[in-house]
Amino acid sequence: MATEIRFCAPVGEYWFLSPLASFPIKMNVDGRDFVFPSAEHYYQAMKFYASDPRFDVILNMKNADDARLITKTPEYKVNRRADFDKRKFEIMENALHAKFQQNADAAELLKSTGDAILIKACPVCYKCGFGIGSGENRIGKTLMAIRRELQK
């Protein structure tokens, strides 16, 4: 078994580790329940209040990468949820916990990684991932913590 697993996009043998992988999660937002197609959809939608039309656009996008990319456009960079930047890592961690708690097949795949070090190795992601040779790897660390919980 690999001692280190690097992943980024939802492709290849370890596609399921990516927040963009299509595992639906049910989450309560602003007092209402929603089913998001992926952890990434939830993360991106949380930049807005549930009453904001942009929230629904993200929620209903077919592709998680499209949901990510739309929030980089000018009309999605303004009037965001006031506390998003303070809570963004917590939001992603909650989404990843939900992904593996609510999808038994995803949980089994995560457990199958054994004790390998999980590294989100996207070249432009330095906080959540590893970037090119450096970064905090928050997503990888969160996945390893979730895996430990599942293995108990």
Side-chain angles (χ1 to χ4, degrees):
M1 174 164 288
T3 59
E4 182 179 282
I5 295 171
R6 291 177 175 260
F7 64 95
C8 184
V11 296
E13 183 178 358
Y14 299 105
W15 62 274
F16 62 91
L17 295 170
S18 172
L20 286 85
S22 295
F23 289 97
I25 58 172
K26 182 179 179 182
M27 304 294 277
N28 187 285
V29 179
D30 300 335
R32 295 173 44 207
D33 288 334
F34 296 91
V35 177
F36 296 87
S38 71
E40 189 70 26
H41 280 83
Y42 172 72
Y43 177 80
Q44 298 301 334
M46 287 301 293
K47 292 177 179 177
F48 308 98
Y49 294 97
S51 59
D52 189 311
R54 296 172 294 181
F55 181 95
D56 283 331
V57 170
I58 294 167
L59 174 66
N60 292 302
M61 295 194 96
K62 300 285 185 219
N63 181 293
D65 202 42
D66 290 344
R68 180 184 66 81
L69 291 172
I70 198 169
T71 66
K72 305 215 180 284
T73 62
E75 60 271 24
Y76 281 77
K77 287 194 168 273
V78 296
N79 301 319
R80 291 182 172 191
R81 186 180 286 266
D83 64 348
F84 179 79
D85 285 332
K86 287 183 185 177
R87 295 188 52 231
K88 63 184 173 183
F89 298 117
E90 171 193 344
I91 289 166
M92 179 54 80
E93 288 171 1
N94 290 342
L96 292 172
H97 278 276
K99 172 181 173 175
F100 293 101
Q101 290 169 346
Q102 297 176 22
N103 294 281
D105 49 344
E108 288 304 312
L109 288 167
L110 180 57
K111 288 193 295 187
S112 76
T113 63
D115 60 357
I117 297 168
L118 305 178
I119 299 172
K120 183 171 187 261
C122 294
V124 296
C125 188
Y126 295 96
K127 292 286 185 183
C128 288
F130 195 65
I132 299 174
S134 65
E136 295 180 25
N137 192 33
R138 284 178 179 244
I139 288 179
K141 290 174 182 173
T142 299
L143 292 173
M144 289 184 285
I146 294 168
R147 181 180 62 197
R148 282 190 299 276
E149 293 169 13
L150 292 171
Q151 290 171 332
K152 289 181 182 177

